[in-house]
Every structure is written in structure tokens, then in C-alpha cells.
Amino acid sequence: MRVMLKATLDTDKANEALRSGKLLEFLKEAVEPLKPEAAYFGPAGGRRTCFIVFDLQDSSELPRTLEPFFTQFNARTEVFPVMTGEDLQKGLAQPR
């Protein structure tokens, strides 16, 4: 299932990683294993935030996926299903 992970990083933890030069290294290590369809980084709610779209095969993958964000950055996370316009059309075309 295609999902979007929204990870909002703790400002103090992210500032510390940025100063030590490890922020980009961490993000690469956390994001690459997900083989994301898309990954975006920017401010949301005044904090550094990641939006990562990837395929979640099974809910048992969530701990491995989220734990780096919790342990490294005390991040607040949300995971929710998303779809493309084509997926939406396919779903809406199905009989109710």
C-alpha cells in the first residue's frame, strides 16, 4: 500500500545534528531503505519536516521505518494511505 510518512523533527535534536554535520547522513540512512517514490523536505508548523511516499508491504514494517526518526530526532510521525489520481479513478469506478 502506498503511504506517506510525515516526520516532524525536534528542533533542538535537528539543530544538534546539523551543527555536527550528521543531519544529511541520518536522513539518507533513514530514507534510502524505504526506496521512496518521492521524498520532500521543508518547514511545516515551523519545524523541519520530511514527507516521504513509499510502499508499505506490511504494518510490521512500521517499527523499523519509524524508529530512526524517534531515536535520532524525537520526531512526531504520522503515516497515512495516499493514492495517485489514477488510483482514485480506479477506486471510484468500482461498483458500490
Side-chain angles (χ1 to χ4, degrees), residues 3-16:
V3 297
M4 179 180 287
L5 164 62
K6 177 184 176 188
T8 304
L9 310 182
D10 176 78
T11 300
D12 291 335
K13 293 272 191 176
N15 285 346
E16 182 181 313

Side-chain angles (χ1 to χ4, degrees), residues 88-96:
L88 178 62
Q89 287 179 344
K90 181 179 174 183
L92 293 174
Q94 306 228 351
R96 295 174 210 212

Side-chain angles (χ1 to χ4, degrees), residues 54-66:
F54 66 99
D55 188 36
L56 183 68
Q57 296 291 323
D58 189 271
S59 61
S60 65
E61 296 174 13
L62 282 175
R64 177 177 47 94
T65 300
L66 301 179

Side-chain angles (χ1 to χ4, degrees), residues 8-76:
T8 304
L9 310 182
D10 176 78
T11 300
D12 291 335
K13 293 272 191 176
N15 285 346
E16 182 181 313
L18 184 63
R19 282 192 289 272
S20 71
K22 295 186 179 187
L23 181 62
L24 292 177
E25 177 184 329
F26 162 76
L27 290 173
K28 183 178 178 182
E29 289 175 5
V31 173
E32 277 187 0
L34 301 177
K35 298 181 177 126
E37 176 181 319
Y40 302 97
F41 307 90
R47 295 181 183 253
R48 291 179 184 93
T49 304
C50 311
F51 299 91
I52 305 164
V53 178
F54 66 99
D55 188 36
L56 183 68
Q57 296 291 323
D58 189 271
S59 61
S60 65
E61 296 174 13
L62 282 175
R64 177 177 47 94
T65 300
L66 301 179
E67 206 57 38
F69 291 96
F70 294 142
T71 58
Q72 295 294 320
F73 293 107
N74 195 28
R76 292 181 313 178

